[in-house]
Amino acid sequence: MGFHSFANTQLVLELGLNSSSNIPQNPSKLSSPTSDHHHHRHPSLTLALSGDSSSFSNASVKREREIASEESERVNTTSDDQEDEDGSVNGRKKLRLTKAQSGLLEEAFKLHTTLNPKQKQELARDLKLRPRQVEVWFQNRRARTKLKQTEVDCEYLKKCCETLKDENRRLRREVEELKASKTVYMPMPAATLTVCPSCEHVNPKTPFTIPPKPNFFNNPQLVNY
DNA sequence: CTCGTCAACAGGACGA
DNA sequence: TCGTCCTGTTGACGAG
């Protein structure tokens, strides 16, 4: 199989706190095509659409899934005819995509994270999967990407929080030191006293102004850590 | 046996 | 109304 490029896909997540965009950060290692050598069966899924009409449904979705189910039988019997080779007749069976299939899906995901119907059909045809399976794979893949991004954002915010706590502690210490030093060698009224904390000299004329706190959400150095 | 992963599903939201 | 997306959940399966 000629899918070498995805075997070593590294996760390089680019942080943007506005993770609203669906642009793929990068194909992650998430797709872990683990040990599919144990699962050489082709997608042959006997879907458990146990025609109990007890459902609440969205008729169109239901119909789509029924169609998909029918279609699967066609696809599977053409690709190879192994339905229920291990006896699980009606239950949901775990399908493992082959390395080639997941590799091709990853490649497609790199190009666009959503598919139009034509792309979906073509991809399904190439992969010998049902369009519904391709669609589900893309949905799950987007969800995984988003989850990963959320984790990265969370880590970033934790770091920011720690940084701010440190800064807060430092400033508090500085305030305490200034209070102490004032009482020692500055017997001036507090209202008229302005002290520059960095150079620690007194300037009664020009009041000291605290520089604006850097907004780390807009700070590229911090954002792209 | 537990836990993590992932394909598949359910159902609500939303735009055309 | 339909198609698609998102989110949460389920169930199969492998690894430890």
Side-chain angles (χ1 to χ4, degrees):
Chain A
M1 47 190 70
F3 295 92
H4 32 274
S5 57
F6 56 86
N8 56 354
T9 45
Q10 280 288 337
L11 177 61
V12 184
L13 280 164
E14 183 180 349
L15 178 67
L17 277 181
N18 50 352
S19 54
S20 56
S21 74
N22 273 335
I23 298 163
Q25 314 302 326
N26 216 324
S28 68
K29 60 177 173 73
L30 295 165
S31 65
S32 74
T34 50
S35 66
D36 73 322
H37 41 278
H38 289 156
H39 297 271
H40 285 307
R41 75 176 77 97
H42 273 299
S44 74
L45 214 39
T46 49
L47 290 173
L49 280 177
S50 55
D52 60 328
S53 52
S54 68
S55 39
F56 1 72
S57 41
N58 211 327
S60 65
V61 173
K62 189 181 173 185
R63 192 157 51 82
E64 184 196 351
R65 284 164 188 161
E66 282 169 356
I67 289 168
S69 167
E70 290 165 14
E71 202 172 311
S72 82
E73 303 201 352
R74 276 196 299 107
V75 169
N76 294 329
T77 48
T78 54
S79 58
D80 60 58
D81 45 355
Q82 79 306 34
E83 49 260 5
D84 319 317
E85 63 270 35
D86 57 352
S88 78
V89 185
N90 214 4
R92 199 157 77 177
K93 251 175 61 174
K94 181 73 174 180
L95 163 72
R96 282 279 172 178
L97 299 174
T98 65
K99 273 184 186 173
Q101 285 172 324
S102 48
L104 203 58
L105 286 164
E106 286 290 345
E107 292 296 321
F109 190 78
K110 265 191 243 181
L111 296 177
H112 17 60
T113 57
T114 57
L115 294 175
N116 61 39
K118 191 183 170 197
Q119 291 169 326
K120 196 204 298 181
Q121 289 287 345
E122 287 175 355
L123 202 51
R125 194 193 56 225
D126 292 348
L127 294 165
K128 293 186 166 48
L129 294 173
R130 282 174 283 125
R132 171 66 185 160
Q133 288 177 298
V134 174
E135 181 184 316
V136 166
W137 187 91
F138 268 74
Q139 282 175 5
N140 287 324
R141 187 65 180 77
R142 283 191 295 269
R144 273 176 265 153
T145 300
K146 188 173 182 181
L147 179 66
K148 203 72 196 172
Q149 185 60 45
T150 303
E151 287 172 6
V152 170
D153 290 350
C154 187
E155 281 305 308
Y156 171 68
L157 289 174
K158 274 187 199 167
K159 280 182 184 167
C160 287
C161 184
E162 287 307 311
T163 304
L164 287 173
K165 277 185 191 170
D166 288 346
E167 177 72 357
N168 190 24
R169 277 192 287 270
R170 190 186 67 77
L171 289 172
R172 283 176 186 278
R173 264 201 310 273
E174 199 169 295
V175 166
E176 291 304 316
E177 285 169 11
L178 286 170
K179 278 183 187 168
S181 64
K182 241 189 314 182
T183 56
V184 171
Y185 58 82
M186 275 282 118
M188 292 173 68
T192 60
L193 182 69
T194 57
V195 180
C196 172
S198 55
C199 51
E200 292 199 7
H201 66 250
V202 179
N203 184 355
K205 292 279 184 189
T206 59
F208 169 69
T209 57
I210 299 171
K213 184 175 287 185
N215 183 351
F216 54 78
F217 289 108
N218 296 329
N219 185 337
Q221 281 183 330
L222 288 167
V223 167
N224 298 318
Y225 81 104

